[in-house]
Amino acid sequence: MTARSLSDIEYNYKLINERIAEAALKSGRKREDITFLAATKTVDADTINHAISLGLDHIGENKVQELLAKYDDYDLSKCSLQFIGHLQSNKVRQIVDKVDLIQSVDSVKLANEISKQSLKINKTMDVLVEVNIGREENKSGVMPEMLEDLLYQIAEMDGISVKGLMAIPPICDTSQKISKFFHNMNNLFIDISQKKIDNISMTILSMGMSADYYEAILEGANMIRVGSSLFGERNYNI
Ligand SMILES: *Cc1c(COP(=O)(O)O)cnc(C)c1O
C-alpha cells in the first residue's frame, strides 16, 4: 500500500461516515444507529488494519479460504470479524471459532451445521438469515415466503441465535428500483419482528453496498456492507 492509497482510504472513510450520518438523520435516526461494516475481500490485512486504525469496527469476509489466510494478521482487538458470503456447510467448522456473526444463513442444513459446530466449542453463534428479496434464480438467500418457517426451525436449535436479516437485492438501473427492494425488505423485517418468535431477535437489518447504501439507510437498514467505496476498485488478480 502506498501512502497515497492509505490517504485515499482515510478520505473515503470520512466521506462514507458523513453520508451515513446524513441518511440516518433523514430517516429519523442517528449516526450511531447505523453499523458500517467494511467488506474486505481482496484487500490485504495491512490495508484493513489501517482502516481499523481510523475507527472502523466491523469487517466482513465472503470467502472462507481468504478469511483463514488473513486471520492471523487482522487487528481484531477493537473490531468485529463477520462472515458475509455464501457458506457451504462443510466449511462451517473452519470459521465458527473465528467470527462474531454469520450473515448468510439460508437453509436448515446450514443452520444445523452451525448449531452443531458451535455447541462443540461451547459457543452460541449469532447469525442473520439471508433473504432472496429479488426472487432471483441461482442466488443465495431464502425466498421471502419461506423465511418464517426457516426462523421457526432455527429457533429450536441450540448454539445458534438469529439476530436479524440480510439481503443483496438484484442489480438495478435506477435508485427507485433498488429502493423498492430495500423497502420490501424492511417491511418483511417489521412483519417478522411483530410475530415475536421465541428465541429469534430481529435487531439487525443488513442491506446496502457501495452503490446504494444511502438508499438502503433511508429505507431502514441499520447495517451496511461497503467495500469498493472505501478501499477502491477490487483487483482480483493479486
Ligand atoms: C463485496 C460485498 C459487499 C460490498 O460490495 P461493494 O459494492 O464493493 O461495496 C457487500 N456484501 C457482500 C456480501 C459482499 O460480498
Side-chain angles (χ1 to χ4, degrees):
M1 271 285 122
T2 62
R4 168 71 202 279
S5 34
L6 290 181
S7 76
D8 282 352
I9 290 170
E10 183 162 2
Y11 176 85
N12 295 340
Y13 182 73
K14 284 187 183 148
L15 193 74
I16 294 165
N17 272 303
E18 281 166 21
R19 291 192 74 217
I20 294 172
E22 188 185 304
L25 210 65
K26 261 192 163 178
S27 60
R29 292 172 295 166
K30 301 193 204 71
R31 168 66 192 89
E32 316 78 274
D33 298 329
I34 316 292
T35 301
F36 172 8
L37 175 143
T40 48
K41 56 179 172 275
T42 77
V43 181
D44 63 83
D46 283 349
T47 307
I48 296 169
N49 290 341
H50 177 69
I52 292 173
S53 76
L54 301 173
L56 179 73
D57 55 6
H58 289 73
I59 60 172
E61 290 287 352
N62 73 327
K63 291 211 164 64
V64 169
Q65 206 181 350
E66 185 174 346
L67 184 150
L68 296 176
K70 294 189 231 170
Y71 184 71
D72 287 336
D73 298 322
Y74 301 124
D75 177 6
L76 296 177
S77 53
K78 296 194 194 80
C79 184
S80 167
L81 172 64
Q82 311 196 347
F83 193 78
I84 61 176
H86 179 65
L87 182 57
Q88 288 170 287
S89 299
N90 62 4
K91 299 205 170 143
V92 169
R93 184 180 48 82
Q94 297 176 274
I95 62 161
V96 82
D97 58 331
K98 299 182 179 66
V99 300
D100 300 318
L101 180 77
I102 297 174
Q103 296 211 4
S104 43
V105 173
D106 61 357
S107 70
V108 174
K109 183 183 174 207
L110 177 58
N112 257 322
E113 183 64 15
I114 293 171
S115 161
K116 184 175 131 193
Q117 297 298 340
S118 303
L119 285 172
K120 273 193 195 167
I121 58 166
N122 281 319
K123 178 171 180 172
T124 297
M125 187 76 232
D126 289 341
V127 304
L128 305 183
V129 171
E130 181 176 354
V131 179
N132 185 350
I133 193 65
R135 315 185 54 85
E136 294 171 278
E137 271 180 52
N138 308 321
K139 193 148 165 186
S140 324
V142 62
M143 286 295 172
E145 67 277 12
M146 307 297 285
L147 172 64
E148 196 177 333
D149 182 62
L150 178 59
L151 289 171
Y152 274 106
Q153 296 196 60
I154 301 176
E156 298 291 317
M157 300 175 193
D158 294 320
I160 179 168
S161 175
V162 175
K163 298 295 177 197
L165 304 178
M166 183 270 241
I168 307 174
I171 293 170
C172 296
D173 54 5
T174 68
S175 70
Q176 284 93 328
K177 286 184 196 162
I178 193 95
S179 293
K180 184 80 186 148
F181 285 110
F182 291 140
H183 187 75
N184 293 345
M185 202 49 219
N186 191 39
N187 282 343
L188 194 59
F189 180 75
I190 292 167
D191 282 353
I192 291 287
S193 312
Q194 286 169 348
K195 299 214 158 111
K196 301 202 186 313
I197 305 173
D198 278 350
N199 300 320
I200 297 287
S201 120
M202 278 293 136
T203 315
I204 302 173
L205 178 57
S206 170
M207 58 184 191
M209 317 203 291
S210 288
D212 50 32
Y213 65 87
Y214 195 89
E215 287 81 1
I217 296 169
L218 292 186
E219 296 297 340
N222 57 25
M223 180 186 281
I224 57 166
R225 308 176 312 270
V226 174
S228 45
S229 283
L230 177 63
F231 295 114
E233 286 309 312
R234 279 183 286 278
N235 180 357
Y236 286 97
N237 302 318
I238 47 172

